[in-house]
Amino acid sequence: MKHKLLANDAGERTFILILEEDDEAVACLTAFARQERITAASVTAIGAFRSATIAFFEFETKNYKKIPVEVQTEVLSLMGDVAVNEKDEASLHLHVVLGLSDGSTRGGHFLQGHVRPTLEVVVRETPAKLRRRHNAELGIALIDIDQA
């Protein structure tokens, strides 16, 4: 993965990240956010994967149903945010829409994706600190706006 700082104005940084073939997207983005000590940001991306894992949150069971996508796909839209978890580490929440060769799509919570041939990611940081806290009732971590 390569990255470059595009803008740095009043604590708001904008980065471009270029992931290369076989990079695992979630691991790369998480490592980058932690390295840069990002505490609040939005993430957008386009590109392609050779394989991916997405998920659907089943409210009744409070679990994510994993959906493997074991074919080449276009990343039509990848978006989400960065906040910090209860350990003060960068935590990503990403969703993705993947385009298949027949024009159909698959989408959901983004868990993993192996890049082929590239993924172009823009990370827009804000000078804030968003905290994600575990919500026991829902079984997931949500941004706690009162802690922002």
Side-chain angles (χ1 to χ4, degrees), residues 39-145:
T39 61
S42 62
V43 177
T44 58
I46 57 171
F49 295 132
R50 69 171 160 80
S51 66
T53 303
I54 59 177
F56 183 82
F57 184 70
E58 295 178 324
F59 190 79
E60 294 76 22
T61 64
K62 310 290 189 269
N63 288 308
Y64 283 96
K65 176 186 174 189
K66 290 185 179 179
I67 305 164
V69 182
E70 297 294 335
V71 295
Q72 180 75 26
T73 58
E74 293 284 334
V75 177
L76 304 177
S77 175
L78 187 153
M79 62 177 59
D81 58 49
V82 179
V84 293
N85 62 22
E86 293 167 343
K87 297 178 183 178
D88 270 346
E89 299 171 324
S91 168
L92 281 69
H93 182 192
L94 302 170
H95 285 214
V96 67
V97 178
L98 302 173
L100 300 160
S101 64
D102 65 359
S104 64
T105 59
R106 301 254 178 104
H109 185 80
F110 182 53
L111 299 179
Q112 182 181 50
H114 294 277
V115 175
R116 184 172 64 193
T118 190
L119 187 71
E120 302 164 348
V121 184
V122 176
V123 177
R124 289 185 180 88
E125 180 187 37
T126 62
K129 185 173 187 177
L130 295 177
R131 180 164 304 279
R132 205 177 308 282
R133 293 199 187 278
H134 183 75
N135 180 310
E137 182 179 325
L138 296 175
I140 56 176
L142 302 173
I143 291 177
D144 183 349
I145 198 79

